[in-house]
Amino acid sequence: MLESFIKSLAGVPWLELLITGTVKGSMYALIALGYTMVYGILQMINFANGEIFMIGMFATVFGIALLSSLWGSFAAINLILGVVFAVILASAYGYGSERIAYRRLRNAHILAPLTSAIGLSIVLQQFISNVVGNQPFTFPNYYSDPFAWRVVTLVQGNPATGAGDVGISMLQVCILTTACLLMTALFYMIHCTRVGIAMRAVSQDRLMASLVGIPVNHVIAFTFIVGSSLAAVAGTLFSMYTTTLTWSAGTASGLKAFTAAIIGGIGNIPGAVLGGLLIGIIEDFTIAILGAQWRNVILFAILMLTLILRPRGLLGERVADKV
Amino acid sequence: MPKQLFLILTLLVGLTFAAGCSKSSDPSTIKIGLAGVQTGNDAMLGKSMVEGSAIALDEWNAKGGILGKKLEAISVDDEGNSEKAVNVANDLVAKGVVAVLGHFNSSCTIPTMRIYNESKILQITPGSTNTKITQEGIPTLFRVVGRDAQQAEVNVNYLFDTLGLRKLAVIHNSTSWGEGIAKEVADLWKKKGGEVVEFSGINEADRDFSANIATIKSKGAQALFGGLMYAQSGPLINKMRKDGLEIPFAGGDGSFDPALITAAGDYATNVFLTFGPDMESKPEARPFYEKYRARYGREPGPYAIYGYAAAQVLLTAMEKAASTDAAKVAEVMHKDTFQTAMGEIAFDEKGDLRKTYFVIWTVKDKKFVVLQQ
Amino acid sequence: MLKLENVHAAYGPVEVLKGINLEINPGEIVALLGANGAGKSTTLLTSAGVVATTGGQIWWEGKPLLRPSPDVVLRQGICLCPEGRHIFPRLTVKENLLSGSYLLPKSRDAAKLDRIFDFFPVLKERLQQLGGTLSGGEQQMLAIGRSLMSEPRLLMLDEPSLGLAPQIVQRIFSIIQTINKEGTPILLVEQNAREALRIAHRGYVIVTGEIVLTDTASSLLNSDEVRRAYLGEDE
Ligand SMILES: Nc1ncnc2c1ncn2[C@@H]1O[C@H](COP(=O)(O)OP(=O)(O)O)[C@@H](O)[C@H]1O
Ligand SMILES: [Mg+2]
């Protein structure tokens, strides 16, 4: 048993798994940032964040479909506008959910906003399920296929064993670049702009922030908008990457991103990024080594271990970066 | 004020439910349960199957029903989920159906067939291919499709003998159907002397297959068999081609839906699926296809005609037996040969088709076509 | 400028302010004196929009003061520097200061910072240090500086001397006086009544939620009642 396990380890395509895991992890990280930012500022888990990721998927595809019926298939323009549409819609959802489901419960017992968040996520999920007819959707190939070409080949295949090439595709490059750009922009915003100072001030002492003139409600709403936008972009990227959209996608990816945020140290921005990448990579290695059914066992075992050994997460001690 | 509003709403909701429940069963009709997945991932396959059955029931009603009574179709959605299937099966029993046409997924037929058997309800599944189903010895259970064992054999023969491949990777969706057929393929492959380089299960909700593809790629598989439904095999084919894995993809009837081609797009190459023969080219099937398109205004899914034929068999047998009693109808079904839109149908003692006919289909110009043997 | 008229306030069922009447005129330093728990902080919190009134009216420059939330009050020109300083512990000194000028034109930040560094040179040295790592005195200076960043037209200080060494208290009080001389009226709550009355123009004495005495600072300093109760004499 052990011997065959070790033998199977030898054949693991670690380089490719590292690539695919990083790509997927960067998308988890974008979602995890939403969880962690909202937690940082409100000490509340916005469970609906995973659904906003899912809404981002559908909004992009809907936006693209709308535009191509309006003026035809201008690939780049439609795709970009589709993402913009998704970000706007997701922001509206994020803002609306804060206004409707959370603001009044801000000073209530901790269970109240949590329950509200879970309720909201079920509402969003069922809403989409009802609207799109509860069946798998395909991301229009016309828009994702142009990204399929391989940018570099890292390992040539071996004709003797039949092993294939290992490379990086344009889409993978785009996903990583987009994620990096967004995260850099987020870091910049949080550390170098006034609204960033305001966000951190609100997260540290809400009443005092209000006393120095920071419009706390606006800053909180803005945090939701930023988190939702990141999740929406992640949704677009994920649906392009996997070519499908399902109304249940938010639950699966949302839960993993949430786990990522916890592992990194909830409330901690670099922690969410680190957690996301870790989860993505661990997930893919688990699938390859133990099989897909083991992935949740491993992920949640790691979650529990983290909570036991480092209750505040991997980067939880470096609270300076908390939003 | 909001409290009152809430109360009124609750009352309203309550009333609606009460109204729904109080719809009492009418003894002057013969109730037939139409059960299948109508929402969710496999919705496209299951829904048109149920619709096919409904068309047959309506035709009979137009002719005056059977045994002097009208037929009443009670259509239920099991969502492709075995727990939900058990719930809807119990519902159907409570509503007094005499026979059930369904379910679609093997994972829904297996837990419900015992329920129907206990309540002496005859069952014909138009779509469940898992080999186990007819091995339980339920005398009132039939199917109008082939078994996965047969499907697996056709698949393996094609990949191993015709294409001459020796290293196979197998992936399945961990359901009764997917894992069942995957195991049968893998066993047959080994029996023939081939090598199964990878055998792995995934979850039905999975949409990212990168890690599986990487593994398969590294193991030098020459073909991939997927015990998957179309909702997964379409994206999988697309992704494996994009990741540079060009080997043939083979699958069973669960992958056989136009949505697979939509999802895989231009990358739907080297795809080989087992399914029944091309029904639409049969003259006896043509009226059904026309009727379906006229009624629903869209293309029937591949299992629509199976739903239709199952109903044809059931109603013909009831007429012949002059009874709705499951045992009596079953007796006729075991003995007789039926003329259906799918052609002649006869059952063996297990309730399986005497003659099966899986063929290999492939994708050409974004359409499924039968591969010339 | 600011005028409290028969203001009532309560925490739940407990009424803490029972009809406060109080006024601050342009250019004044007004001291609000009283024992621990008398309702001094509550008076300031009510004026700052933190605690709701249950009766009475607060006037600001002749109009009712809008108090939906503290930031709205601040935008009308009233800034509260609360008891206990409440520095943002994980913002740097500079970020703490800048947090006070959110929504104000950036172009004025530099001048305001220079003025604050003139008052409290030590803050300039600590600019990149986290607020939480400052000493108590430095934190108080930072809290006052942060309040000044919001360009208040009335500054309310709640116990700025609390827990500080006498030397530093002297420094802070003299800066408060300077700020006032440069044009900002100040409402000063203090336990340290003697120091407060020394720089104040007028004073109010509050006892269990009611103003019991008001006079010029010098009369209060000489009043037997005040001497006995708040200046620790004759004990
Ligand atoms: N948040 C609160 N909840 C309930 N009671 C409070 C609260 N804050 C202060 N009090 C009570 O209100 C009274 C006045 O408090 P406060 O205004 O802080 O007094 P002071 O500042 O004069 O020491 C005290 O009896 C105090 O116990
Ligand atoms: Mg006080």
Side-chain angles (χ1 to χ4, degrees):
Chain A
M1 167 88 196
L2 190 70
E3 207 174 312
S4 69
F5 177 72
I6 291 171
K7 228 171 108 192
S8 74
L9 277 187
V12 166
W14 60 272
L15 181 61
E16 187 158 19
L17 292 174
L18 209 58
I19 296 168
T20 60
T22 308
V23 169
K24 192 156 53 166
S26 68
M27 294 184 279
Y28 289 157
L30 289 178
I31 315 173
L33 284 169
Y35 283 108
T36 231
M37 287 171 69
V38 167
Y39 184 85
I41 210 156
L42 283 180
Q43 281 75 52
M44 185 207 102
I45 306 293
N46 177 20
F47 265 108
N49 197 42
E51 306 313 329
I52 288 178
F53 162 80
M54 179 270 293
I55 283 174
M57 291 181 164
F58 280 97
T60 313
V61 171
F62 178 77
I64 288 176
L66 200 73
L67 292 173
S68 54
S69 72
L70 268 181
W71 62 49
S73 301
F74 299 107
I77 299 172
N78 288 5
L79 187 59
I80 289 169
L81 289 179
V83 177
V84 170
F85 178 69
V87 165
I88 292 171
L89 197 72
S91 299
Y93 266 114
Y95 176 76
S97 62
E98 198 275 321
R99 275 313 295 265
I100 295 162
Y102 305 140
R103 187 172 292 184
R104 282 151 185 271
L105 301 175
R106 212 178 278 162
N107 297 316
H109 184 270
I110 182 157
L111 276 180
L114 193 70
T115 316
S116 190
I118 292 172
L120 190 74
S121 101
I122 294 172
V123 168
L124 294 188
Q125 205 183 89
Q126 284 299 313
F127 175 76
I128 294 294
S129 142
N130 294 346
V131 169
V132 302
N134 208 345
Q135 45 181 296
F137 258 67
T138 298
F139 193 93
N141 291 310
Y142 179 81
Y143 295 95
S144 57
D145 287 355
F147 294 93
W149 55 280
R150 187 177 298 162
V151 180
V152 285
T153 303
L154 298 171
V155 177
Q156 290 290 346
N158 181 349
T161 62
D165 298 351
V166 176
I168 301 179
S169 74
M170 189 59 204
L171 185 57
Q172 287 174 323
V173 170
C174 287
I175 290 173
L176 287 173
T177 319
T178 311
C180 282
L181 282 177
L182 287 176
M183 287 173 204
T184 313
L186 183 72
F187 282 119
Y188 177 79
M189 187 193 81
I190 286 172
H191 290 284
C192 305
T193 68
R194 286 203 200 195
V195 70
I197 294 176
M199 286 163 87
R200 284 182 290 149
V202 170
S203 91
Q204 290 174 25
D205 190 335
R206 203 184 303 160
L207 176 60
M208 193 58 230
S210 183
L211 280 171
V212 297
I214 295 170
V216 171
N217 282 338
H218 291 190
V219 172
I220 290 176
F222 180 71
T223 308
F224 271 82
I225 288 175
V226 173
S228 302
S229 306
L230 295 175
V233 175
T236 310
L237 297 175
F238 200 82
S239 56
M240 272 179 89
Y241 191 54
T242 64
T243 73
T244 52
L245 311 79
T246 50
W247 56 271
S248 56
T251 316
S253 298
L255 203 59
K256 282 175 210 152
F258 171 63
T259 310
I262 300 269
I263 288 179
I266 187 118
N268 183 299
I269 299 276
V273 176
L274 177 70
L277 292 175
L278 276 179
I279 293 283
I281 292 169
I282 292 172
E283 185 182 9
D284 275 4
F285 272 89
T286 309
I287 293 173
I289 295 169
L290 296 174
Q293 297 99 329
W294 284 96
R295 120 182 78 179
N296 285 346
V297 178
I298 298 293
L299 287 184
F300 291 104
I302 290 174
L303 174 65
M304 281 184 290
L305 267 180
T306 316
L307 287 177
I308 293 165
L309 298 177
R310 279 187 80 95
R312 304 178 62 190
L314 293 179
L315 301 187
E317 247 58 61
R318 285 185 48 213
V319 275
D321 293 311
K322 193 173 133 174
V323 154
Chain B
M1 176 54 202
K3 249 186 195 158
Q4 283 169 356
L5 200 74
F6 183 73
L7 216 93
I8 293 170
L9 271 175
T10 321
L11 266 172
L12 276 176
V13 172
L15 280 175
T16 330
F17 272 111
C21 293
S22 67
K23 201 167 130 192
S24 68
S25 55
D26 177 359
S28 68
T29 60
I30 293 174
K31 293 182 191 61
I32 311 282
L34 310 184
V37 52
Q38 303 190 47
T39 53
N41 285 334
D42 313 334
M44 303 212 187
L45 288 172
K47 192 162 190 217
S48 67
M49 176 191 94
V50 167
E51 288 165 349
S53 302
I55 290 178
L57 263 55
D58 287 351
E59 283 174 3
W60 246 267
N61 274 338
K63 289 190 291 186
I66 63 170
L67 311 176
K69 289 184 181 181
K70 287 271 179 197
L71 293 160
E72 183 183 339
I74 300 179
S75 160
V76 290
D77 176 13
D78 62 28
E79 294 172 17
N81 168 320
S82 42
E83 277 157 48
K84 186 81 205 277
V86 168
N87 289 342
V88 298
N90 285 324
D91 260 13
L92 288 176
V93 172
K95 286 188 175 143
V97 298
V98 299
V100 171
L101 299 171
H103 294 224
F104 174 71
N105 308 70
S106 294
S107 53
C108 294
T109 300
I110 290 172
T112 55
M113 62 195 199
R114 285 152 213 164
I115 298 174
Y116 299 131
N117 186 33
E118 275 165 24
S119 311
K120 309 242 175 311
I121 293 171
L122 188 117
Q123 180 181 13
I124 307 177
T125 167
S128 298
T129 49
N130 187 295
T131 309
K132 272 196 282 188
I133 291 174
T134 45
Q135 283 173 344
E136 293 248 325
I138 298 174
T140 54
L141 172 65
F142 300 84
R143 64 172 144 206
V144 294
V145 283
R147 281 169 292 140
D148 287 339
Q150 300 161 326
Q151 229 182 143
E153 199 178 337
V154 174
N155 256 309
V156 168
N157 287 345
Y158 182 72
L159 296 176
F160 195 95
D161 299 333
T162 313
L163 297 184
L165 306 175
R166 292 296 175 267
K167 284 159 92 179
L168 180 71
V170 179
I171 188 169
H172 64 80
N173 64 4
S174 310
T175 65
S176 318
W177 176 79
E179 188 164 1
I181 192 168
K183 278 197 174 128
E184 286 177 289
V185 165
D187 289 347
L188 278 171
W189 192 264
K190 284 183 220 156
K191 217 178 276 171
K192 273 179 144 349
E195 189 190 348
V196 176
V197 294
E198 168 75 4
F199 186 93
S200 55
I202 57 174
N203 303 321
E204 274 193 286
D206 292 351
R207 290 294 180 273
D208 176 45
F209 310 107
S210 326
N212 304 93
I213 293 169
T215 309
I216 294 166
K217 218 165 38 166
S218 72
K219 297 208 168 150
Q222 296 166 321
L224 171 63
F225 178 86
L228 303 172
M229 304 300 290
Y230 65 84
Q232 284 184 309
S233 37
L236 170 62
I237 293 166
N238 185 300
K239 192 76 204 305
M240 63 191 263
R241 301 298 180 237
K242 283 181 181 170
D243 285 2
L245 184 60
E246 305 287 352
I247 59 177
F249 175 89
D253 63 309
S255 292
F256 194 81
D257 189 283
L260 175 139
I261 301 172
T262 316
D266 291 340
Y267 295 90
T269 52
N270 240 353
V271 175
F272 305 100
L273 306 176
T274 44
F275 201 73
D278 184 5
M279 292 293 174
E280 211 181 337
S281 61
K282 293 190 176 202
E284 58 264 53
R286 207 152 290 148
F288 168 73
Y289 280 95
E290 279 158 17
K291 213 171 260 178
Y292 187 100
R293 289 193 186 100
R295 174 151 164 184
Y296 295 106
R298 55 186 148 79
E299 281 300 300
Y303 270 106
I305 192 158
Y306 290 76
Y308 182 72
Q312 283 185 308
V313 170
L314 174 72
L315 299 175
T316 315
M318 278 184 177
E319 268 177 345
K320 181 88 181 284
S323 166
T324 57
D325 180 76
K328 287 181 190 158
V329 180
E331 210 186 304
V332 174
M333 284 178 64
H334 280 296
K335 261 198 331 246
D336 274 22
T337 298
F338 299 86
Q339 300 301 327
T340 71
M342 285 166 59
E344 264 183 11
I345 284 181
F347 299 96
D348 65 12
E349 64 289 348
K350 282 181 172 166
D352 276 322
L353 290 175
R354 277 190 196 282
K355 225 171 55 193
T356 43
Y357 38 74
F358 280 110
V359 295
I360 300 271
W361 292 69
T362 188
V363 179
K364 209 171 175 186
D365 300 330
K366 303 215 165 172
K367 277 209 176 70
F368 286 119
V369 292
V370 175
L371 201 70
Q372 293 307 320
Q373 255 95 7
Chain C
M1 281 186 99
L2 181 74
K3 189 173 174 193
L4 278 68
E5 212 174 75
N6 194 27
V7 165
H8 290 253
Y11 294 108
V14 187
E15 183 157 68
V16 175
L17 300 187
K18 301 161 185 167
I20 297 285
N21 289 293
L22 183 151
E23 195 169 354
I24 297 140
N25 299 310
E28 275 186 326
I29 297 182
V30 174
L32 181 57
L33 310 174
N36 218 338
K40 305 181 297 291
S41 294
T42 307
T43 306
L44 298 197
L45 290 171
T46 322
S47 310
V50 179
V51 174
T53 54
T54 51
Q57 182 65 276
I58 302 182
W59 300 91
W60 172 240
E61 297 179 331
K63 279 180 285 201
L65 177 68
L66 301 175
R67 289 171 294 129
S69 63
D71 57 295
V72 175
V73 171
L74 187 105
R75 243 162 286 140
Q76 294 165 83
I78 303 178
C79 179
L80 169 62
C81 183
E83 192 174 346
R85 302 161 196 133
H86 289 275
I87 294 305
F88 299 115
R90 295 182 301 278
L91 294 188
T92 62
V93 167
K94 184 168 186 196
E95 288 168 339
N96 262 287
L97 289 171
L98 290 178
S99 74
S101 66
Y102 190 69
L103 295 186
L104 294 177
K106 259 186 189 171
S107 53
R108 300 211 288 267
D109 281 353
K112 281 187 284 189
L113 286 173
D114 282 345
R115 177 170 174 236
I116 291 162
F117 296 150
D118 281 349
F119 292 153
F120 309 114
V122 64
L123 294 183
K124 193 168 186 179
E125 293 159 27
R126 301 264 188 274
L127 221 46
Q128 297 307 328
Q129 209 169 312
L130 291 185
T133 64
L134 296 186
S135 72
E138 290 163 347
Q139 287 197 356
Q140 187 59 56
M141 295 173 193
L142 178 55
I144 294 175
R146 183 177 60 183
S147 295
L148 292 177
M149 288 300 287
S150 63
E151 306 172 5
R153 281 182 289 134
L154 169 65
L155 184 56
M156 303 194 290
L157 297 169
D158 197 349
E159 314 238 12
S161 72
L162 199 70
L164 301 185
Q167 244 180 326
I168 296 174
V169 174
Q170 288 296 334
R171 283 269 316 284
I172 287 180
F173 271 55
S174 86
I175 298 291
I176 292 172
Q177 218 168 3
T178 315
I179 294 169
N180 173 255
K181 289 212 175 100
E182 290 179 7
T184 312
I186 286 166
L187 176 55
L188 178 65
V189 161
E190 260 303 332
Q191 295 262 332
N192 194 340
R194 192 192 302 275
E195 289 299 325
L197 287 175
R198 190 164 296 156
I199 61 167
H201 302 104
R202 290 189 303 120
Y204 291 84
V205 176
I206 179 170
V207 176
T208 57
E210 282 172 289
I211 301 288
V212 294
L213 193 62
T214 171
D215 212 329
T216 59
S218 50
S219 326
L220 286 176
L221 261 177
N222 296 323
S223 134
D224 284 348
E225 219 179 319
V226 175
R227 293 172 84 108
R228 218 177 308 117
Y230 305 108
L231 302 180
E233 296 178 9
D234 291 356
E235 288 294 323

